[in-house]
PDB file of all heavy atoms in Angstrom:
ATOM      1  N   PRO T 277      86.726   8.038-142.048  1.00 91.00           N
ATOM      2  CA  PRO T 277      86.369   8.252-143.458  1.00 91.00           C
ATOM      3  C   PRO T 277      87.014   9.490-144.066  1.00 91.00           C
ATOM      4  O   PRO T 277      87.351   9.504-145.255  1.00 91.00           O
ATOM      5  CB  PRO T 277      84.840   8.391-143.412  1.00 91.00           C
ATOM      6  CG  PRO T 277      84.421   7.691-142.169  1.00 91.00           C
ATOM      7  CD  PRO T 277      85.541   7.885-141.187  1.00 91.00           C
ATOM      8  N   LEU T 278      87.211  10.517-143.269  1.00 91.00           N
ATOM      9  CA  LEU T 278      87.764  11.773-143.763  1.00 91.00           C
ATOM     10  C   LEU T 278      89.093  11.604-144.478  1.00 91.00           C
ATOM     11  O   LEU T 278      89.355  12.249-145.502  1.00 91.00           O
ATOM     12  CB  LEU T 278      87.911  12.729-142.580  1.00 91.00           C
ATOM     13  CG  LEU T 278      88.630  14.051-142.840  1.00 91.00           C
ATOM     14  CD1 LEU T 278      87.835  14.904-143.801  1.00 91.00           C
ATOM     15  CD2 LEU T 278      88.856  14.777-141.525  1.00 91.00           C
ATOM     16  N   VAL T 279      89.966  10.741-143.960  1.00 89.00           N
ATOM     17  CA  VAL T 279      91.324  10.641-144.513  1.00 89.00           C
ATOM     18  C   VAL T 279      91.495   9.501-145.505  1.00 89.00           C
ATOM     19  O   VAL T 279      92.582   9.330-146.067  1.00 89.00           O
ATOM     20  CB  VAL T 279      92.352  10.491-143.366  1.00 89.00           C
ATOM     21  CG1 VAL T 279      92.315  11.692-142.448  1.00 89.00           C
ATOM     22  CG2 VAL T 279      92.111   9.211-142.582  1.00 89.00           C
ATOM     23  N   GLU T 280      90.461   8.722-145.727  1.00 86.00           N
ATOM     24  CA  GLU T 280      90.588   7.571-146.622  1.00 86.00           C
ATOM     25  C   GLU T 280      91.008   7.939-148.049  1.00 86.00           C
ATOM     26  O   GLU T 280      91.750   7.190-148.683  1.00 86.00           O
ATOM     27  CB  GLU T 280      89.273   6.777-146.642  1.00 86.00           C
ATOM     28  CG  GLU T 280      88.998   6.012-145.356  1.00 86.00           C
ATOM     29  CD  GLU T 280      90.148   5.093-144.978  1.00 86.00           C
ATOM     30  OE1 GLU T 280      90.619   4.332-145.843  1.00 86.00           O
ATOM     31  OE2 GLU T 280      90.585   5.154-143.815  1.00 86.00           O
ATOM     32  N   PRO T 281      90.548   9.081-148.627  1.00 87.00           N
ATOM     33  CA  PRO T 281      90.957   9.392-150.011  1.00 87.00           C
ATOM     34  C   PRO T 281      92.433   9.717-150.178  1.00 87.00           C
ATOM     35  O   PRO T 281      92.928   9.756-151.310  1.00 87.00           O
ATOM     36  CB  PRO T 281      90.093  10.623-150.354  1.00 87.00           C
ATOM     37  CG  PRO T 281      88.972  10.613-149.374  1.00 87.00           C
ATOM     38  CD  PRO T 281      89.549  10.037-148.131  1.00 87.00           C
ATOM     39  N   TYR T 282      93.154   9.959-149.100  1.00 89.00           N
ATOM     40  CA  TYR T 282      94.552  10.377-149.181  1.00 89.00           C
ATOM     41  C   TYR T 282      95.492   9.190-148.978  1.00 89.00           C
ATOM     42  O   TYR T 282      95.130   8.208-148.325  1.00 89.00           O
ATOM     43  CB  TYR T 282      94.853  11.443-148.118  1.00 89.00           C
ATOM     44  CG  TYR T 282      93.943  12.639-148.176  1.00 89.00           C
ATOM     45  CD1 TYR T 282      92.802  12.698-147.377  1.00 89.00           C
ATOM     46  CD2 TYR T 282      94.206  13.711-149.012  1.00 89.00           C
ATOM     47  CE1 TYR T 282      91.946  13.792-147.418  1.00 89.00           C
ATOM     48  CE2 TYR T 282      93.369  14.814-149.063  1.00 89.00           C
ATOM     49  CZ  TYR T 282      92.234  14.846-148.261  1.00 89.00           C
ATOM     50  OH  TYR T 282      91.397  15.935-148.313  1.00 89.00           O
ATOM     51  N   ASN T 283      96.690   9.295-149.531  1.00 90.00           N
ATOM     52  CA  ASN T 283      97.676   8.247-149.247  1.00 90.00           C
ATOM     53  C   ASN T 283      98.260   8.465-147.850  1.00 90.00           C
ATOM     54  O   ASN T 283      97.991   9.474-147.197  1.00 90.00           O
ATOM     55  CB  ASN T 283      98.771   8.207-150.325  1.00 90.00           C
ATOM     56  CG  ASN T 283      99.615   9.473-150.383  1.00 90.00           C
ATOM     57  OD1 ASN T 283      99.969  10.055-149.359  1.00 90.00           O
ATOM     58  ND2 ASN T 283      99.958   9.909-151.589  1.00 90.00           N
ATOM     59  N   THR T 284      99.074   7.524-147.398  1.00 91.00           N
ATOM     60  CA  THR T 284      99.567   7.549-146.020  1.00 91.00           C
ATOM     61  C   THR T 284     100.340   8.822-145.704  1.00 91.00           C
ATOM     62  O   THR T 284     100.139   9.440-144.641  1.00 91.00           O
ATOM     63  CB  THR T 284     100.468   6.325-145.766  1.00 91.00           C
ATOM     64  OG1 THR T 284      99.717   5.133-146.029  1.00 91.00           O
ATOM     65  CG2 THR T 284     100.951   6.294-144.325  1.00 91.00           C
ATOM     66  N   GLU T 285     101.200   9.255-146.613  1.00 92.00           N
ATOM     67  CA  GLU T 285     101.999  10.460-146.374  1.00 92.00           C
ATOM     68  C   GLU T 285     101.118  11.700-146.319  1.00 92.00           C
ATOM     69  O   GLU T 285     101.276  12.551-145.432  1.00 92.00           O
ATOM     70  CB  GLU T 285     103.046  10.609-147.480  1.00 92.00           C
ATOM     71  CG  GLU T 285     103.934  11.840-147.302  1.00 92.00           C
ATOM     72  CD  GLU T 285     104.919  12.033-148.452  1.00 92.00           C
ATOM     73  OE1 GLU T 285     104.770  11.343-149.476  1.00 92.00           O
ATOM     74  OE2 GLU T 285     105.808  12.879-148.311  1.00 92.00           O
ATOM     75  N   GLU T 286     100.181  11.798-147.246  1.00 93.00           N
ATOM     76  CA  GLU T 286      99.291  12.962-147.269  1.00 93.00           C
ATOM     77  C   GLU T 286      98.441  13.043-146.002  1.00 93.00           C
ATOM     78  O   GLU T 286      98.263  14.124-145.430  1.00 93.00           O
ATOM     79  CB  GLU T 286      98.383  12.896-148.501  1.00 93.00           C
ATOM     80  CG  GLU T 286      99.107  13.118-149.811  1.00 93.00           C
ATOM     81  CD  GLU T 286      98.210  12.849-151.015  1.00 93.00           C
ATOM     82  OE1 GLU T 286      97.201  12.115-150.870  1.00 93.00           O
ATOM     83  OE2 GLU T 286      98.522  13.355-152.103  1.00 93.00           O
ATOM     84  N   ARG T 287      97.913  11.900-145.568  1.00 94.00           N
ATOM     85  CA  ARG T 287      97.082  11.891-144.356  1.00 94.00           C
ATOM     86  C   ARG T 287      97.839  12.476-143.178  1.00 94.00           C
ATOM     87  O   ARG T 287      97.340  13.350-142.464  1.00 94.00           O
ATOM     88  CB  ARG T 287      96.675  10.458-144.005  1.00 94.00           C
ATOM     89  CG  ARG T 287      95.728   9.792-144.966  1.00 94.00           C
ATOM     90  CD  ARG T 287      95.556   8.334-144.578  1.00 94.00           C
ATOM     91  NE  ARG T 287      94.901   7.572-145.628  1.00 94.00           N
ATOM     92  CZ  ARG T 287      94.795   6.259-145.650  1.00 94.00           C
ATOM     93  NH1 ARG T 287      95.317   5.557-144.655  1.00 94.00           N
ATOM     94  NH2 ARG T 287      94.181   5.641-146.641  1.00 94.00           N
ATOM     95  N   ARG T 288      99.030  11.951-142.963  1.00 96.00           N
ATOM     96  CA  ARG T 288      99.795  12.379-141.790  1.00 96.00           C
ATOM     97  C   ARG T 288     100.149  13.862-141.864  1.00 96.00           C
ATOM     98  O   ARG T 288      99.994  14.600-140.888  1.00 96.00           O
ATOM     99  CB  ARG T 288     101.056  11.529-141.661  1.00 96.00           C
ATOM    100  CG  ARG T 288     101.845  11.817-140.387  1.00 96.00           C
ATOM    101  CD  ARG T 288     102.909  10.773-140.138  1.00 96.00           C
ATOM    102  NE  ARG T 288     103.732  11.128-138.988  1.00 96.00           N
ATOM    103  CZ  ARG T 288     103.424  10.859-137.719  1.00 96.00           C
ATOM    104  NH1 ARG T 288     102.316  10.228-137.430  1.00 96.00           N
ATOM    105  NH2 ARG T 288     104.231  11.219-136.738  1.00 96.00           N
ATOM    106  N   LYS T 289     100.603  14.322-143.025  1.00 96.00           N
ATOM    107  CA  LYS T 289     101.025  15.717-143.149  1.00 96.00           C
ATOM    108  C   LYS T 289      99.853  16.675-143.011  1.00 96.00           C
ATOM    109  O   LYS T 289      99.973  17.736-142.363  1.00 96.00           O
ATOM    110  CB  LYS T 289     101.734  15.921-144.488  1.00 96.00           C
ATOM    111  CG  LYS T 289     103.132  15.314-144.520  1.00 96.00           C
ATOM    112  CD  LYS T 289     103.845  15.606-145.823  1.00 96.00           C
ATOM    113  CE  LYS T 289     105.296  15.110-145.754  1.00 96.00           C
ATOM    114  NZ  LYS T 289     106.018  15.357-147.018  1.00 96.00           N
ATOM    115  N   LEU T 290      98.714  16.342-143.591  1.00 96.00           N
ATOM    116  CA  LEU T 290      97.562  17.243-143.518  1.00 96.00           C
ATOM    117  C   LEU T 290      97.010  17.325-142.100  1.00 96.00           C
ATOM    118  O   LEU T 290      96.497  18.374-141.686  1.00 96.00           O
ATOM    119  CB  LEU T 290      96.473  16.783-144.490  1.00 96.00           C
ATOM    120  CG  LEU T 290      96.818  16.934-145.977  1.00 96.00           C
ATOM    121  CD1 LEU T 290      95.727  16.339-146.851  1.00 96.00           C
ATOM    122  CD2 LEU T 290      97.041  18.413-146.334  1.00 96.00           C
ATOM    123  N   VAL T 291      97.103  16.232-141.340  1.00 97.00           N
ATOM    124  CA  VAL T 291      96.643  16.265-139.946  1.00 97.00           C
ATOM    125  C   VAL T 291      97.633  17.036-139.081  1.00 97.00           C
ATOM    126  O   VAL T 291      97.238  17.888-138.266  1.00 97.00           O
ATOM    127  CB  VAL T 291      96.441  14.841-139.400  1.00 97.00           C
ATOM    128  CG1 VAL T 291      96.153  14.876-137.907  1.00 97.00           C
ATOM    129  CG2 VAL T 291      95.290  14.148-140.129  1.00 97.00           C
ATOM    130  N   ILE T 292      98.929  16.776-139.234  1.00 97.00           N
ATOM    131  CA  ILE T 292      99.942  17.465-138.433  1.00 97.00           C
ATOM    132  C   ILE T 292      99.854  18.972-138.633  1.00 97.00           C
ATOM    133  O   ILE T 292      99.928  19.751-137.670  1.00 97.00           O
ATOM    134  CB  ILE T 292     101.358  16.951-138.795  1.00 97.00           C
ATOM    135  CG1 ILE T 292     101.551  15.522-138.263  1.00 97.00           C
ATOM    136  CG2 ILE T 292     102.439  17.872-138.230  1.00 97.00           C
ATOM    137  CD1 ILE T 292     102.844  14.871-138.710  1.00 97.00           C
ATOM    138  N   ALA T 293      99.695  19.393-139.880  1.00 97.00           N
ATOM    139  CA  ALA T 293      99.639  20.830-140.174  1.00 97.00           C
ATOM    140  C   ALA T 293      98.438  21.500-139.522  1.00 97.00           C
ATOM    141  O   ALA T 293      98.488  22.687-139.183  1.00 97.00           O
ATOM    142  CB  ALA T 293      99.601  21.038-141.679  1.00 97.00           C
ATOM    143  N   ARG T 294      97.368  20.734-139.318  1.00 97.00           N
ATOM    144  CA  ARG T 294      96.148  21.304-138.721  1.00 97.00           C
ATOM    145  C   ARG T 294      96.183  21.308-137.192  1.00 97.00           C
ATOM    146  O   ARG T 294      95.380  21.982-136.563  1.00 97.00           O
ATOM    147  CB  ARG T 294      94.925  20.509-139.186  1.00 97.00           C
ATOM    148  CG  ARG T 294      94.459  20.880-140.585  1.00 97.00           C
ATOM    149  CD  ARG T 294      93.225  20.056-140.944  1.00 97.00           C
ATOM    150  NE  ARG T 294      92.537  20.608-142.088  1.00 97.00           N
ATOM    151  CZ  ARG T 294      92.821  20.331-143.352  1.00 97.00           C
ATOM    152  NH1 ARG T 294      93.815  19.490-143.615  1.00 97.00           N
ATOM    153  NH2 ARG T 294      92.153  20.882-144.339  1.00 97.00           N
ATOM    154  N   LEU T 295      97.076  20.517-136.582  1.00 97.00           N
ATOM    155  CA  LEU T 295      97.116  20.396-135.121  1.00 97.00           C
ATOM    156  C   LEU T 295      98.485  20.847-134.607  1.00 97.00           C
ATOM    157  O   LEU T 295      99.351  20.027-134.308  1.00 97.00           O
ATOM    158  CB  LEU T 295      96.841  18.952-134.708  1.00 97.00           C
ATOM    159  CG  LEU T 295      95.477  18.366-135.128  1.00 97.00           C
ATOM    160  CD1 LEU T 295      95.395  16.896-134.764  1.00 97.00           C
ATOM    161  CD2 LEU T 295      94.334  19.145-134.485  1.00 97.00           C
ATOM    162  N   PRO T 296      98.705  22.146-134.480  1.00 96.00           N
ATOM    163  CA  PRO T 296     100.047  22.653-134.154  1.00 96.00           C
ATOM    164  C   PRO T 296     100.555  22.272-132.769  1.00 96.00           C
ATOM    165  O   PRO T 296     101.771  22.247-132.547  1.00 96.00           O
ATOM    166  CB  PRO T 296      99.874  24.178-134.273  1.00 96.00           C
ATOM    167  CG  PRO T 296      98.408  24.427-134.148  1.00 96.00           C
ATOM    168  CD  PRO T 296      97.738  23.224-134.744  1.00 96.00           C
ATOM    169  N   SER T 297      99.677  21.948-131.819  1.00 95.00           N
ATOM    170  CA  SER T 297     100.151  21.635-130.466  1.00 95.00           C
ATOM    171  C   SER T 297     100.396  20.154-130.238  1.00 95.00           C
ATOM    172  O   SER T 297     100.946  19.756-129.209  1.00 95.00           O
ATOM    173  CB  SER T 297      99.131  22.126-129.430  1.00 95.00           C
ATOM    174  OG  SER T 297      97.919  21.405-129.544  1.00 95.00           O
TER     175      SER T 297
END
Side-chain angles (χ1 to χ4, degrees):
L278 173 65
V279 299
E280 289 305 311
Y282 305 94
N283 64 40
T284 302
E285 180 184 11
E286 290 172 338
R287 292 173 193 170
R288 186 168 175 85
K289 286 184 174 179
L290 291 175
V291 172
I292 289 173
R294 281 181 165 87
L295 300 175
S297 66

